[in-house]
Amino acid sequence: MTIPEVLNIALEHHQAGRLPQAEAIYRQILQNQPSHPDALHLLGVLAHQIGRHDIALELIGLAILHNPGISDYHLHMGEACRALGRLEEAVGHYRQALTLKPDCVEAWNSLGIALKQQGRLEESGACYRQAVALNPSSADALNNLANILKVQGRLEEAIACYRRALALDTGHPEAHNNLGVSLQDQGKLEEATAHFQRALALKPAYAEAHFNLGNALNEAGRHAEAIECFRTSTRFKPDYAEAYNNVGDALLGQGRVAEAAESFRSALRIKPDYAEAHYNLGYALLLSGDLARGFEEYEWRWRSDVFLESTLQERRPVFRQPPWDGSDLKGQTILLYPEQGIGDAIQFVRYAPMVTQRGGRVIVACRTELCRLFETVPGVSQIASVGSPLPEFHVQASLLSLPRIFRTTLETIPAQVPYVSLPESTRLALKEAVLSVLKVGIVWAGAPWNKRGHHRSCPLACFHPLWEISGIAWYSLQKGGRETDLGAALIGEAHVQDLSEQLQDFADTAAAITQLDLVISVDTALAHLAGALGKPVWTLLPFAPDWRWLLEREDSPWYPTMRLFRQARPGDWPGVFARVAEELQKLVGSGRPSGIYKGGV
């Protein structure tokens, strides 16, 4: 047989997946003709397919040396270079392949992939468009173009492109998976789940699709199923640090905090600088009460994309002044700045007097609606509104980094209340309630932008049984758009007074709270404000609470006048309100508002 005939036999084995047979024949040809470029090239392609990219580079390089004018040689040389992370060399070989064969769709597609990996999105997208122009039925090119559109934030266009790819090839697992991710970004969990399941039906060992299905199930509250998906993904991809991290997140949703912490540690053993796993481990440690180690890990939050997305921030604020390390300030001016929600700012501004005791002049930056309130915090010399020019200062610290700087433990939390008070300029006065024993304020919904906000909020209807308790005057402190729920729900029930129009900032809200006997609130800034004022507050918590409320206990070490009412199982608001109703009945029966919190107010 001639060498071309033998080479064709080897190629048939190769294309059929019989790689050992193909390799044996390629090597036999090279024994007889060591510089045979096609045999060198195809043996190199085979090496690339089994993960021996270094050998592929050597073999295909020899093929190019003997015959540099073959487009496929450069295309596959580019693939080997890209697999080794040598992106610039890969780009060069893809371009050479296109110089030799300008209509090579595979080369345009591969060039687009390499350019995307370099962050050159516009150029990458242009390559994919050229591939589609040359072959409009290329599902691969359409899928890759959609990936670029998604990264560029053009989600609707990306989804349309994925759907075009699937219309051409319904059996394209990557397009199903990628479309699922995009649909989940739009909140279409059911449709997203169907596409992940279709991807897995086509490709059962597709680790990323198992992972993404787990994400969708976790977001839907189906934590046990999500955990199984994440763990399956690690069987196919043992070094999948992101999957171990997400197992931990799902375990947190089930209240299995110790197991979650160990899963985060597993992720970190694979990927020690994995910011999100560090941040999540910190969250778990804080939730379990290990504040010292928890706040250390929590500092990784600034490097976590998930944290930044959930707090609507792009990055950590950049200052030319250095961060404060907790040392004696010796009269220097320090800026304390907020980073998350209003409730966080209220909770941690309590550290301002301690900073003053370290010899500093304290400036606190805060949102405009907090300025008047924070002017009353002891130790604060000046308030700066976020977004306005900052005054001069020497060092700076985030409010949420202060517990770490002061090495806070459960035993050393600065819990002296009140640490905010009413500014003299506040004149809000509530209408006197007639024939009531208790004046109670209510809040049922948190900030809509908060990632966990919908878990913390409850329907206003949950409060309806409480309104049937006689001897209570009700006041709505709800803001943020959800105050309109009240008008729709309370036709003919005028005994709930809506204060929203009078509450222009948190100083006004504080004035209202000081005139109440009790605040009943879901986990919102209003609960923090009532606690900071030293007023009785009953905080209603979901089954998987935020870290600051710890586990199981009914009190809060952060707020001495706060009582916690927890869901016994996910979504169990009726159980929470049944206990609240029982406690309110006791208070009304006692006729003593001071009995709201054990030991008096």
Side-chain angles (χ1 to χ4, degrees), residues 37-92:
D38 283 344
L40 287 166
H41 166 242
L42 291 170
L43 186 58
V45 170
L46 189 151
H48 171 67
Q49 289 174 315
I50 63 173
R52 297 302 306 272
H53 310 300
D54 51 342
I55 294 175
L57 209 65
E58 180 182 351
L59 291 167
I60 301 173
L62 288 171
I64 290 172
L65 182 66
H66 293 297
N67 191 354
I70 304 297
S71 176
D72 278 358
Y73 293 3
H74 289 281
L75 169 63
H76 295 134
M77 186 68 164
E79 301 288 71
C81 287
R82 185 163 61 86
L84 290 168
R86 296 160 66 166
L87 294 180
E88 199 56 45
E89 293 176 64
V91 167

Side-chain angles (χ1 to χ4, degrees), residues 107-137:
W108 281 113
N109 198 47
S110 292
L111 177 58
I113 294 172
L115 291 169
K116 179 177 183 286
Q117 289 177 317
Q118 288 184 315
R120 298 156 66 176
L121 300 185
E122 290 294 337
E123 295 174 77
S124 175
C127 291
Y128 296 139
R129 287 187 176 88
Q130 182 63 31
V132 172
L134 289 166
N135 182 7
S137 63

Side-chain angles (χ1 to χ4, degrees), residues 16-329:
R18 298 186 292 270
L19 301 188
Q21 293 92 324
E23 179 182 359
I25 297 174
Y26 293 145
R27 293 193 181 280
Q28 184 179 0
I29 292 171
L30 290 171
Q31 282 179 352
N32 294 316
Q33 193 172 331
S35 60
H36 192 286
D38 283 344
L40 287 166
H41 166 242
L42 291 170
L43 186 58
V45 170
L46 189 151
H48 171 67
Q49 289 174 315
I50 63 173
R52 297 302 306 272
H53 310 300
D54 51 342
I55 294 175
L57 209 65
E58 180 182 351
L59 291 167
I60 301 173
L62 288 171
I64 290 172
L65 182 66
H66 293 297
N67 191 354
I70 304 297
S71 176
D72 278 358
Y73 293 3
H74 289 281
L75 169 63
H76 295 134
M77 186 68 164
E79 301 288 71
C81 287
R82 185 163 61 86
L84 290 168
R86 296 160 66 166
L87 294 180
E88 199 56 45
E89 293 176 64
V91 167
H93 282 287
Y94 294 141
R95 293 196 189 282
Q96 184 60 31
L98 289 166
T99 299
L100 295 165
K101 189 180 179 183
D103 61 349
C104 180
V105 173
E106 189 178 355
W108 281 113
N109 198 47
S110 292
L111 177 58
I113 294 172
L115 291 169
K116 179 177 183 286
Q117 289 177 317
Q118 288 184 315
R120 298 156 66 176
L121 300 185
E122 290 294 337
E123 295 174 77
S124 175
C127 291
Y128 296 139
R129 287 187 176 88
Q130 182 63 31
V132 172
L134 289 166
N135 182 7
S137 63
S138 174
D140 282 343
L142 284 165
N143 175 65
N144 289 336
L145 175 58
N147 290 341
I148 291 292
L149 293 169
K150 185 175 186 300
V151 172
Q152 291 176 325
R154 299 157 65 178
L155 189 58
E156 289 291 350
E157 293 177 72
I159 288 173
C161 210
Y162 289 130
R163 293 195 191 280
R164 281 177 60 196
L166 288 170
L168 291 165
D169 181 4
T170 58
H172 197 298
E174 289 77 16
H176 279 291
N177 177 64
N178 294 335
L179 177 57
V181 172
S182 297
L183 291 169
Q184 186 176 348
D185 287 345
Q186 291 187 324
K188 299 175 180 177
L189 292 182
E190 187 173 345
E191 191 179 357
T193 297
H195 280 285
F196 295 137
Q197 290 170 335
R198 178 58 179 156
L200 290 168
L202 293 165
K203 188 177 175 181
Y206 193 175
E208 288 76 12
H210 284 287
F211 175 81
N212 290 327
L213 177 58
N215 285 336
L217 294 170
N218 197 40
E219 188 174 340
R222 296 161 63 180
H223 303 302
E225 295 169 83
I227 290 168
E228 182 56 35
C229 287
F230 294 137
R231 287 180 170 157
T232 299
S233 73
T234 63
R235 287 200 289 272
F236 295 118
K237 188 177 177 182
D239 62 347
Y240 208 161
E242 291 77 7
Y244 285 104
N245 175 71
N246 287 18
V247 167
D249 188 56
L251 288 167
L252 283 180
Q254 291 187 318
R256 297 158 64 182
V257 178
E259 293 174 73
E262 187 51 42
S263 193
F264 297 136
R265 291 188 181 98
S266 294
L268 291 169
R269 282 190 284 271
I270 296 168
K271 192 175 176 182
D273 60 349
Y274 186 9
E276 187 181 339
H278 278 289
Y279 162 60
N280 285 336
L281 176 58
Y283 194 99
L285 291 170
L286 292 171
L287 187 57
S288 65
D290 188 349
L291 302 193
R293 289 194 299 165
F295 280 120
E296 285 294 335
E297 293 287 349
Y298 198 63
E299 280 298 296
W300 283 80
R301 64 193 181 278
W302 290 111
R303 306 188 205 179
S304 165
D305 291 339
V306 170
F307 166 77
L308 294 174
E309 289 168 7
S310 69
T311 54
L312 302 184
Q313 299 186 82
E314 295 181 358
R315 56 179 174 79
R316 186 174 192 169
V318 177
F319 300 104
R320 60 179 174 80
Q321 296 87 345
W324 183 46
D325 61 4
S327 59
D328 191 337
L329 287 161

